């Protein structure tokens, strides 16, 4: 039996209406670290290879590559040796399959979890409160599309990893895939760009709220939970599972689709920010509710269909501008996508133009201490500096202050009045 070690100042309890949860046993101030959790298993995204160490997720130049597959990169020999038990699951296969080696990130992560579970004899540092095998999976709530996707993942596991792995039975694989679906984390850098996937069992105990009192950030392969407001003894701690920019209906739809529950937090019950987020233009002819609903449908489809195309983004913005205000969240989303496309095309002036339109509404619509606001200040500061607009760049970067108080080596942020 694996005994529970626990975390100082944090306790697991039965949260009314939510199942398991975490609460504090002492007071925490805003910015204070509640606890950190190393990843139980993790994978680096393929498109980040060559820039980031596969073992510790350090971004640096001059990484050393694996001598066999030439595709995995490391800080040094020590990182390479530590990573070998996991990398060996892929190294030979990448050589054999070449360009046809294409398991999904979920398949890669599950393969590593299986490999670790095979040799695990005691509770890991990632499981001080919750064992990975005890994570919630909601298998009974999955629709046919998700069930079919899990079957495809299992086929991918057998195709790419059968040489180095002994698989559990089919039902156990389905259970593990459902657990990863509900509890997997996207590891992000300071600009909220995705680096890879990971599992953090203890952090999976955090329940969701659209009014969170903690945030989860990453230092390499470690996740850190920090307070964003004062938390009193006995109070439950909540993080947000989703992007909080969107209105209540969209948030609830996403929570139901991925996590199989509806949120009943203060923001979801009062919908206090929905009018601000869903602003429409003041025209001589009143805009009907049907026109608004039709434009919401159009906006949602446009976000999916035109995500990577700047021209389509601009056309979509023009169309939505006939009904929506500039601060409407669907226009903001499309402007943010346009900014990203401009960055990819190295059109920095265009990126700044869109970024400036997004920045002010973000500070109104996102909750205080939102990492989305901080990452935008960081992006804008770097863009201004690249365009030799140094005073403006310094002003933006001053709102993203390096400090160990909130996010260790990443950043904290303040809003200069």
């Amino acid at each position: 039996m694996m005994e529970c070690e626990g975390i100082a100042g944090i306790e697991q309890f039965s949260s009314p209406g939510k199942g398991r949860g975490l609460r504090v046993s002492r007071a925490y101030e805003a910015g204070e670290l509640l606890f950190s959790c190393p990843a139980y298993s993790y994978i680096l995204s393929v498109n980040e290879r060559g820039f980031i160490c596969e073992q510790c997720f350090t971004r640096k130049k001059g990484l050393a590559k694996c001598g066999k597959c030439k595709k995995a990169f490391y800080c040094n020999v020590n990182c390479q040796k530590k990573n070998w038990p996991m990398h060996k699951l892929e190294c030979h296969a990448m050589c054999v399959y070449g360009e046809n080696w294409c398991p999904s990130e979920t398949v890669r992560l599950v393969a590593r979890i299986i490999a670790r579970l095979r040799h695990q004899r005691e509770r890991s540092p990632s499981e001080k409160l919750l064992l990975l095998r005890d994570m919630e999976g909601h298998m009974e709530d999955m629709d046919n599309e998700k069930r079919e996707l899990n079957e495809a993942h299992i086929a991918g596991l057998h195709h790419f990893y059968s040489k180095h792995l002994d698989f559990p039975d089919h039902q156990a694989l389905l259970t593990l895939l459902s657990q990863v679906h509900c509890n997997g984390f996207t590891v992000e850098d300071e600009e909220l760009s995705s680096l890879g996937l990971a599992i953090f069992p203890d952090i999976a105990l955090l329940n969701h709220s659209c009014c969170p009192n903690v945030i989860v950030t990453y230092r390499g392969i470690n996740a850190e939970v920090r307070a964003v407001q004062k938390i009193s003894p006995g109070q439950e701690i909540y993080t947000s599972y989703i992007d909080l920019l969107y209105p209540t209906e969209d948030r609830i739809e996403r929570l139901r689709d991925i996590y199989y529950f509806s949120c009943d937090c203060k923001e979801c019950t009062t919908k206090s920010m929905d009018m601000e987020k869903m602003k429409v233009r003041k025209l001589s002819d009143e805009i009907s509710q049907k026109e608004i609903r039709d434009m919401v449908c159009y906006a949602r489809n446009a976000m999916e269909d035109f995500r990577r195309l700047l021209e389509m983004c601009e056309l979509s913005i023009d169309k939505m501008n006939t009904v929506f205000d500039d601060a409407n969240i669907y226009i903001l989303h499309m402007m943010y996508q346009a900014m990203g496309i401009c960055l990819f095309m190295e059109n920095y002036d265009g990126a700044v133009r869109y970024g400036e339109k997004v920045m002010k509404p973000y500070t109104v619509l996102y909750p205080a201490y939102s990492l989305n606001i901080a990452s935008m200040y960081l992006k804008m500061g770097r863009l201004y500096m690249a365009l030799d607009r140094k005073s403006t760049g310094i002003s933006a970067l001053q709102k993203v202050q390096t400090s160990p108080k909130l996010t260790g080596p990443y950043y904290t942020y303040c809003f200069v009045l």
Side-chain angles (χ1 to χ4, degrees), residues 136-137 139 142 150 173-182:
E136 184 59 71
M139 273 192 63
M142 285 190 166
N150 278 348
L173 284 175
L174 288 173
T175 298
L176 180 55
L177 280 161
S178 67
Q179 289 172 319
V180 169
H181 174 78
C182 288

Side-chain angles (χ1 to χ4, degrees), residues 95-147:
C95 295
V96 171
Y97 286 100
E99 293 183 358
N100 293 321
W101 186 83
C102 56
S104 69
E105 292 193 344
T106 297
V107 167
R108 293 180 61 211
L109 180 59
V110 169
R112 293 184 177 211
I113 293 172
I114 293 170
R116 182 163 186 184
L117 284 171
R118 285 291 184 188
H119 302 287
Q120 184 175 354
R121 296 294 179 267
E122 58 185 27
R123 189 181 287 262
S124 73
S126 311
E127 303 170 293
K128 292 181 178 180
L129 298 171
L130 179 70
L131 291 171
L132 180 139
R133 68 186 182 211
D134 294 332
M135 294 190 308
E136 184 59 71
H138 293 285
M139 273 192 63
E140 67 282 1
D141 297 316
M142 285 190 166
D143 58 24
N144 288 335
E145 184 178 352
K146 290 188 176 70
R147 293 178 189 276

Side-chain angles (χ1 to χ4, degrees), residues 402-415:
T402 301
S403 166
K405 181 180 179 184
L406 188 59
T407 54
Y410 285 159
Y411 45 78
T412 61
Y413 40 94
C414 62
F415 304 112

